Amino acid sequence: MPSRATKRGEDRTPLSGSYDVLICGASFAGLTVARELSKTSHPPARVLMIDRYEIGERQTSACAAPADWLRNLGLDAAIRQSFRDLVIHTPRRSFRWTLPWDFATFDYQRLCALLRAQSPGVEFETAKVERREGDVVVTDRGELTAPLIVDALGWRRVLSNAPEPIQPPAARLSRGLEVHPGAVRDDLELWLDPRYVPAGYGWSFPAGDEVRVGIGSFDPHRKVKDPTVRLAADVGVESHGYQGNWIPHQMRDPIEDGVFFVGDSAGHCIPATAEGIRTAFYFGLACGRELRAVLDGRSSHVEAQARYRSFCEERRRVFDALLNVQTLIGHVNPRPRAMTAVVRAMDNRRFLDWSFGRYLRIAPPEFALHGSPRRVLHDSRA
């Protein structure tokens, strides 16, 4: 688990200034935006990325993604373990599915360091973002301004001034908690079992010398600590290294007052599976490429906003469809016989290849390999 390295006290000196781009948030989405902006033409733009924590300091997820995404982004050195099989447990039976592509767990600190190394021209400072006042971002160290601002701070959507509810349980959020005990396991496993959570699932994701065991609940009112402890005990590991977070399960407006929202702040997390890392990469690349076009003089700020919003809206339909699947899981999961029947019906080689192939296309890994923002935004629709 990452150790706390964020500066405190006298080390947190005043911070102010104007930049060409201000990226708020330095995890998956923010780092990916920064990666794209490091490719701007000369003279280089002034880009500042800020976060409350040092880069790679605060892990909040199970840290797993399709392996091709990590390879295509040059992050394969962070991979801890790869899987082609997925084991699904219901109360009545277990199923082993062979996937048409590899899924991988990775080291969060290592991955963040590798992504950071791909944006050497982007400055970084630790500062807690408190709010936005027009074009001014207010932090605990001072005020910062930029004509191009990105909110990659997560589900709280800190830079939004809209009246919509953000705080749970009013917002469209799921909740997750996991433990990270030291253990060696071979199987990537999921539990669809109401004994742990009626609307949601449990997981066990091996990652080298540790295993990440947790519970995700689609119902934000339901606490998940006790079922996480029970699942860990059933898996045969101790409950060490707690971490958790709220998980958005519905898309939000990607543009507000000219600010670009990406990752969890825009609800870029796939409903039903709560997979948000590759979508943070995916939308982060799209956002970064649009901003790069502005900095290179190939697009205006207004055009970039319209194109990025269109990119997000074109993908909203599949997110909405999977939100319906999530609701269906919540209805079926409390009925063990019905859930087992559903999983059994899916246990077909042709169906698995088709369904998981379509699922990967929601955010296809080859998107990371393209260089032209305009060609990519038109040709890589999910």
Side-chain angles (χ1 to χ4, degrees):
M1 297 287 290
S3 59
R4 185 170 180 82
T6 300
K7 297 179 180 67
R8 290 178 174 273
E10 295 180 355
D11 290 332
R12 294 182 74 79
T13 55
L15 177 66
S16 63
S18 297
Y19 295 83
D20 295 307
V21 184
L22 180 60
I23 304 171
C24 301
S27 190
F28 305 115
L31 286 166
T32 308
V33 173
R35 174 187 188 267
E36 289 303 299
L37 294 183
S38 67
K39 302 174 184 178
T40 54
S41 60
H42 296 286
R46 287 199 71 201
V47 181
L48 175 65
M49 180 167 51
I50 58 175
D51 196 282
R52 180 177 181 176
Y53 302 96
E54 291 287 352
I55 294 173
E57 179 181 336
R58 188 169 182 262
Q59 178 178 332
T60 59
S61 79
C63 290
D68 280 348
W69 260 104
L70 304 178
R71 297 185 188 108
N72 290 352
L73 286 171
L75 307 174
D76 44 311
I79 293 176
R80 283 191 171 184
Q81 206 163 336
S82 295
F83 310 88
R84 180 55 69 97
D85 286 0
L86 173 64
V87 179
I88 307 287
H89 302 285
T90 73
R92 292 173 172 265
R93 183 180 166 187
S94 295
F95 301 81
R96 180 177 291 272
W97 292 350
T98 298
L99 308 180
W101 39 268
D102 292 343
F103 204 69
T105 52
F106 58 84
D107 180 273
Y108 179 70
Q109 281 187 309
R110 178 64 172 152
L111 181 137
C112 289
L114 290 169
L115 260 183
R116 172 60 178 148
Q118 296 179 24
S119 56
V122 174
E123 301 175 50
F124 174 76
E125 291 283 350
T126 56
K128 179 184 177 183
V129 177
E130 297 179 339
R131 63 188 182 280
R132 177 177 59 87
E133 297 176 354
D135 295 332
V136 177
V137 173
V138 180
T139 79
D140 64 342
R141 293 178 58 191
E143 298 180 352
L144 300 163
T145 61
L148 300 172
I149 299 173
V150 176
D151 183 328
L153 290 164
W155 65 269
R156 288 182 177 85
R157 200 173 164 91
V158 177
L159 299 186
S160 172
N161 291 321
E164 63 177 297
I166 298 296
Q167 294 298 321
R172 286 295 189 98
L173 297 167
S174 301
R175 66 192 305 170
L177 181 70
E178 66 183 7
V179 292
H180 283 211
V184 177
R185 293 289 188 275
D186 295 325
D187 288 331
L188 189 73
E189 300 176 85
L190 291 179
W191 280 262
L192 296 169
D193 191 331
R195 293 175 298 178
Y196 299 116
V197 59
Y201 57 90
W203 66 86
S204 174
F205 286 7
D209 60 356
E210 72 175 20
V211 60
R212 300 158 183 175
V213 178
I215 295 290
S217 173
F218 303 145
D219 179 357
H221 299 86
R222 182 169 290 273
K223 296 181 179 180
V224 290
K225 182 176 181 179
D226 288 345
T228 297
V229 172
R230 290 200 306 273
L231 178 58
D234 291 345
V235 171
V237 298
E238 297 184 2
S239 299
H240 292 320
Y242 284 94
Q243 68 177 31
N245 205 0
W246 295 98
I247 306 164
H249 56 238
Q250 188 171 46
M251 272 198 183
R252 298 166 174 166
D253 192 348
I255 299 289
E256 183 188 319
D257 296 339
V259 175
F260 293 75
F261 292 81
V262 64
D264 281 359
S265 70
H268 291 153
C269 185
I270 301 174
T273 64
E275 191 192 351
I277 294 173
R278 68 168 163 131
T279 47
F281 293 151
Y282 183 55
F283 289 97
L285 289 173
C287 179
R289 289 167 183 172
E290 287 300 337
L291 295 177
R292 176 155 53 94
V294 176
L295 296 175
D296 289 344
R298 294 179 286 111
S299 178
S300 70
H301 188 179
V302 172
E303 290 171 335
Q305 292 176 59
R307 287 173 55 78
Y308 179 62
R309 173 178 274 125
S310 176
F311 181 87
C312 296
E313 288 301 319
E314 287 170 1
R315 286 143 185 86
R316 184 184 290 271
R317 181 180 298 178
V318 69
F319 277 67
D320 289 346
L322 286 171
L323 183 57
N324 290 333
V325 172
Q326 175 175 302
T327 302
L328 181 62
I329 292 172
H331 289 309
V332 176
N333 199 44
R335 301 159 58 195
R337 181 176 297 178
M339 178 54 76
T340 301
V342 170
V343 179
R344 182 188 296 115
M346 297 172 65
D347 190 25
N348 175 281
R349 177 74 273 143
R350 182 176 295 180
F351 178 79
L352 291 175
D353 287 346
W354 174 83
S355 60
F356 278 91
R358 293 280 294 179
Y359 179 70
L360 186 64
R361 300 307 301 168
I362 294 171
E366 59 268 26
F367 189 75
L369 300 176
H370 292 280
S372 167
R374 294 191 177 275
R375 184 181 72 245
V376 167
L377 294 187
H378 284 301
D379 294 349
S380 293
R381 296 182 182 182

